[in-house]
Amino acid sequence: VIDKFPFSAQGNSTDVGDLTVARSNCSAGQTSSTHGYAAAGGTGGSFTNPEYGPGCIRTTSNVIDKYPFSSDANATDVGDVAVAVVGACGISSTTHGYYYGGRTSTIHTTVDDFGRFPFAADGNATNVTDLGGAYGGYHSAGLQSTTHGFINGGQRNPPNSFNNEANYALGNTWSFSFASDTDTATNLHPTPGGGISPYNSGRGTSSSNEYGYVFGGHNNATLRRFPWANADNDTGAAGDLTAWNASGVFGIISGTMR
């Protein structure tokens, strides 16, 4: 299902179309000026012991779906990412859609791939670089300024419990320039614990012209922000969410870009 809701007034969403492949868990979303995209994602499986147990068998997709903003319509399959994954994060420049990380259908196998695809022409994604293999890329948060993309948080590989702080890349924030397709991401926080608050996995994001925002996620009800001009400076909690999944730790949220 593809749902949309108006920015001009509060209200419920409406069903405006379908993806080419039904996704059960965490596609990476990208946005051009005219279209929305959904890249990769989970397509089903047996979740008798969800996410971290031996009984979990998942299936994943490598499809890049594209749908128009100008009219309500179904998505079309316009290409593939390099590896079929679930739980990748999405980032958008004015010319390309980017994605990072995720897990394959093999339980606890985290992918370090960092790729992109053009908005100007339909086609497969290409791998740009990776983050050196030492970073957990499952349920990371993707953000974007006008010149750079940012990757925040995510789970290390392999995890054994969502509620164990050692399973998360605590606060790590990486940046890369949209101007170069060979620019290796720069780790703004090389040691765990720096940057934006612990339990940084499954968080939602929003990007304004001046700030990046991250909120919610696993075991986290805070809303935090950092300035693009000094992206390694967590300005602290900007507030709290009005409600969250307080009865459990499986909070995976989404947000909007500017």
Side-chain angles (χ1 to χ4, degrees), residues 122-234:
D122 298 339
N124 294 334
T126 56
N127 194 52
V128 178
T129 184
D130 59 50
L131 302 188
Y135 184 64
Y138 182 57
H139 287 165
S140 298
L143 307 96
Q144 53 273 312
S145 71
T146 56
T147 60
H148 286 73
F150 297 83
I151 301 166
N152 176 256
Q155 291 182 17
R156 293 192 178 104
N157 183 41
N160 55 26
S161 169
F162 273 130
N163 205 26
N164 184 343
E165 187 171 343
N167 293 332
Y168 300 86
L170 304 185
N172 282 359
T173 303
W174 299 68
S175 70
F176 64 95
S177 171
F178 290 143
S180 172
D181 62 1
T182 59
D183 182 30
T184 301
T186 301
N187 188 359
L188 300 181
H189 296 290
T191 57
I196 304 176
S197 74
Y199 289 111
N200 261 347
S201 176
R203 309 198 78 178
T205 68
S206 293
S207 300
S208 74
N209 289 331
E210 296 178 343
Y211 290 94
Y213 296 81
V214 292
F215 47 86
H218 298 295
N219 262 0
N220 203 317
T222 61
L223 167 65
R224 304 179 76 87
R225 73 177 186 181
F226 60 89
W228 301 131
N230 186 15
D232 60 351
N233 178 24
D234 176 9

Side-chain angles (χ1 to χ4, degrees), residues 24-25 29 49 54 65-66 81 96 151 158 163 180 185 223 227 230 255:
S24 62
N25 191 357
N49 195 359
D65 273 350
K66 172 183 176 179
V81 297
H96 288 78
I151 301 166
N163 205 26
S180 172
L223 167 65
N230 186 15

